[in-house]
Every structure is written in structure tokens, then in C-alpha cells.
Amino acid sequence: MAHVSTQAAPFGAITVHRIASAASGLVARYNAWNAQRRTREVLSQLTPEQLEDIGLTKATVSDMFLIRG
């Protein structure tokens, strides 16, 4: 038979965990935003011919980065 511990977490451990999780989430959101920003910047500097080579147009690039609510 397995033994299950019912000991509570140390005082403040849950708060520290929540703060760390929130900070981690903020870092992940920032990294995703920054990657999207860099991609948009690079694609906006390409000529229509270069975009066509990779199967895109100026319109599709604009549509890719529209903010959807």
C-alpha cells in the first residue's frame, strides 16, 4: 500500500510559485511578441519579387500581422 503525504506546502511557497509562473508567462509572451515583430520587420523590407519567391505578397504579409480581437 502506498503512503500519501498530506503535509502542507511551506509558508509562502504557493505565492512564490504563482509569482514565478506569472513572470515565466510574461517572458514567454514577450519572446513571442518580439519574434513576430522581427519577422514582420524583415518581411516588410523584402521586394515584391522576393516575397513572390517565398509564396507571399504584400497583402498576405499585412494579413498575417493583423491584430485579431
Side-chain angles (χ1 to χ4, degrees):
M1 178 181 241
H3 174 72
V4 177
S5 175
T6 58
Q7 183 178 12
F11 181 73
I14 293 173
T15 302
V16 170
H17 174 72
R18 287 180 181 162
I19 291 170
S21 293
S24 176
L26 287 173
V27 169
R29 287 179 61 188
Y30 171 79
N31 287 337
W33 167 83
N34 196 41
Q36 187 178 45
R37 180 191 63 79
R38 288 191 325 252
T39 300
R40 184 176 53 241
E41 183 179 307
V42 169
L43 288 175
S44 70
Q45 294 174 1
L46 297 179
T47 66
E49 293 78 21
Q50 291 170 321
L51 287 170
E52 186 179 340
D53 286 345
I54 59 173
L56 297 173
T57 65
K58 291 282 186 184
T60 56
V61 170
S62 294
D63 288 346
M64 287 169 50
F65 297 104
L66 284 178
I67 297 173
R68 296 183 187 1

